[in-house]
Amino acid sequence: MKLFHLSDLHIGMKLYNRDLREDQIYVFRQICDAARREQPDAILIAGDIYDKALPSAEAVALFDQFTGELAAAAPHAKLMMISGNHDSAPRINVFRKILQRQNLYMIGTPPQNPEEHIEVVTLEDEFGPVHFYLLPFVKPSMVKAIVGTDANGVNLSYNETLHQLIDQEEINPKERNVLVSHQFYLPVGSDAGQVERMDNEFRTVGNIDEVKADLLERFDYAALGHIHKPMKVGSEVFRYCGTPMPYSVSEANQQKGIIMVELGAKGTVNTSVLPLTPLHPVRVITGTLEEVLTQGCEDYVSILLTDTADPNLTDMQDRIRAAFPNHLEIRRQNLRTADYSVSVTKADHMDPFDLCNAFLKDLDEEEQALLQDVINTVLEVQS
């Protein structure tokens, strides 16, 4: 059985206030082309369909266009998707039963009452059934009627909540099982601080949302969403596929793609990545103004200038705008660093001018004259 694993579409997102609609259309068409070529049996989208809980009309229209083209490209595929922390769970859940008749499974809300269970979709191939457990983003407060609270009536941790939620499911270990989930999973024994997170990812204070990945061991494959960088969670078969295109400067030069999963008999899982190419790659360009201008392009660029002299701001911005019509930001690198090695004892015997020179280091004559003038003015005021 062949699967496509996608997540974190973030339809409607803006990058430094740049509308990414055309960029998303460009990447979504590549996904549809891949689906037409590979004819997967199931297409899994592991949360954050939209960038906002209340998406714009344009974002909803783009999602409708994308799912329509995807269904046309792979008419026999089951399209399964869950809500992420950016989505409105009730809105994703609308028409849930009706859409299932069209091979579209949109699961917005997790089980919330004791008699409810995680939505399971079962497909068959020559090796028997494959059970897909579709678990939307979960907060402990959403499911406390099922998992309960601690002795003081306080909600359980994310880790305890997810483990108990999975524990209530009767997962047959002799058959193939796939989890689709949108949470922050960590290999047992690893530190959340060691996981590289992208600039635009949602993070909780103290990483309280972390979930130990040992619960994934009950599944033959875990299609995960939430982390924007492609990442394995301690195994080749527990994967974050990442976003389909870069959504922050911290994702510059990352190779994005679809994870294609091929399930054979129980215990046989092969994965490969089908690369996706952005319409406008995100790049960071560093150098002096003149060096940077030689690299003009239409990519989304973050520019870091290393000039020691202050350029004419209006002229600089005009020249950069002409060379990089899609530039995101212009930053200056502070090449001068303070010298903290001057001891307090030594500083007590230095006059203000010498002390500032020792602290700032490498001032040119013009800067030294300006510094002396400032010090003289302050001394005059004090006297």
Side-chain angles (χ1 to χ4, degrees):
M1 185 173 295
K2 185 182 292 184
L3 318 176
F4 272 14
H5 171 195
L6 296 157
S7 76
D8 295 272
L9 305 182
H10 286 278
I11 299 175
M13 186 172 187
K14 295 183 184 298
L15 179 60
Y16 285 80
N17 290 320
R18 289 192 176 276
D19 189 339
L20 297 178
R21 185 174 183 276
E22 292 304 316
D23 298 81
Q24 291 183 324
I25 289 174
Y26 185 81
V27 169
F28 291 167
R29 283 178 179 160
Q30 292 178 57
I31 295 171
C32 292
D33 289 342
R36 186 176 296 106
R37 183 174 64 251
E38 297 292 343
Q39 291 299 308
D41 300 289
I43 300 171
L44 315 175
I45 301 179
D48 281 356
I49 298 165
Y50 295 110
D51 189 54
K52 295 185 179 351
L54 293 174
S56 66
E58 292 78 11
V60 175
L62 178 53
F63 172 68
D64 179 62
Q65 176 184 331
F66 174 49
T67 52
E69 291 178 359
L70 204 51
H76 302 295
K78 300 288 193 295
L79 180 54
M80 307 179 200
M81 63 185 74
I82 59 173
S83 64
N85 57 295
H86 278 252
D87 297 310
S88 166
R91 284 181 170 81
I92 299 299
N93 220 51
V94 169
F95 306 126
R96 176 166 163 173
K97 297 300 181 184
I98 295 174
L99 291 173
Q100 289 179 6
R101 301 172 193 167
Q102 308 300 319
N103 290 334
L104 177 56
Y105 297 82
M106 292 181 61
I107 312 303
T109 55
Q112 294 176 299
N113 299 307
E115 68 276 8
E116 295 177 345
H117 289 270
I118 297 171
E119 182 83 18
V120 180
V121 178
T122 299
L123 304 182
E124 296 266 355
D125 66 7
E126 66 269 31
F127 300 108
V130 179
H131 308 290
F132 295 86
Y133 288 79
L134 309 182
L135 180 60
F137 177 69
V138 175
K139 289 182 179 180
S141 59
M142 295 177 176
V143 295
K144 66 180 179 181
I146 297 174
V147 303
T149 58
D150 67 14
N152 298 316
V154 177
N155 290 335
L156 300 181
S157 69
Y158 276 80
N159 183 56
E160 294 168 321
T161 295
L162 267 294
H163 276 77
Q164 288 206 30
L165 207 56
I166 295 295
D167 283 344
Q168 77 158 358
E169 301 297 325
E170 295 182 1
I171 301 173
N172 187 341
K174 296 181 180 180
E175 295 179 341
R176 294 167 298 167
N177 302 286
V178 174
L179 176 67
V180 184
S181 179
H182 190 95
Q183 305 285 159
F184 180 27
Y185 289 100
L186 276 176
V188 176
S190 63
D191 182 358
Q194 297 173 341
V195 178
E196 184 182 6
R197 307 292 296 273
M198 301 299 101
D199 292 343
N200 60 345
E201 287 183 30
F202 173 81
R203 308 180 204 190
T204 58
V205 177
N207 292 305
I208 62 170
D209 59 339
E210 67 180 67
V211 180
K212 299 303 180 187
D214 57 335
L215 70 77
L216 303 178
E217 294 170 4
R218 310 177 203 195
F219 298 93
D220 296 85
Y221 184 80
L224 306 177
H226 193 43
I227 303 295
H228 288 188
K229 179 181 179 179
M231 189 178 92
K232 300 170 187 175
V233 188
S235 169
E236 289 286 332
V237 295
F238 308 148
R239 306 276 289 262
Y240 285 101
C241 61
T243 55
M245 58 172 280
Y247 287 136
S248 68
V249 172
S250 58
E251 295 170 69
N253 301 317
Q254 279 185 15
Q255 178 60 65
K256 302 296 188 177
I258 307 162
I259 298 180
M260 186 166 69
V261 184
E262 295 179 276
L263 297 175
K266 177 71 177 181
T268 303
V269 183
N270 295 311
T271 62
S272 57
V273 177
L274 308 179
L276 296 171
T277 304
L279 179 61
H280 299 101
V282 173
R283 298 171 54 201
V284 178
I285 299 178
T286 302
T288 65
L289 177 60
E290 298 305 324
E291 290 170 343
V292 164
L293 291 173
T294 64
Q295 303 178 58
C297 62
E298 295 189 357
D299 297 343
Y300 292 139
V301 296
S302 170
I303 296 171
L304 179 60
L305 296 177
T306 60
D307 300 78
T308 55
D310 290 328
N312 179 296
L313 290 180
T314 302
D315 177 66
M316 175 192 74
Q317 291 174 342
D318 288 344
R319 295 176 71 190
I320 288 177
R321 191 177 296 112
F324 303 96
N326 293 318
H327 77 273
L328 302 173
E329 61 176 351
I330 305 169
R331 295 178 292 134
R332 294 290 305 280
Q333 184 180 65
N334 184 9
L335 298 180
R336 179 181 298 136
T337 57
D339 182 5
Y340 297 97
S341 64
V342 180
S343 68
V344 174
T345 302
K346 182 179 178 182
D348 287 341
H349 302 287
M350 299 174 70
D351 66 47
F353 179 74
D354 289 337
L355 181 61
C356 290
N357 265 302
F359 183 74
L360 294 173
K361 298 182 67 176
D362 302 325
L363 297 179
D364 60 30
E365 291 184 4
E366 183 179 351
E367 291 169 328
Q368 287 183 339
L370 178 61
L371 175 62
Q372 186 67 71
D373 183 55
V374 171
I375 291 173
N376 291 340
T377 300
V378 172
L379 292 175
E380 287 174 8
V381 172
Q382 288 180 338
S383 61

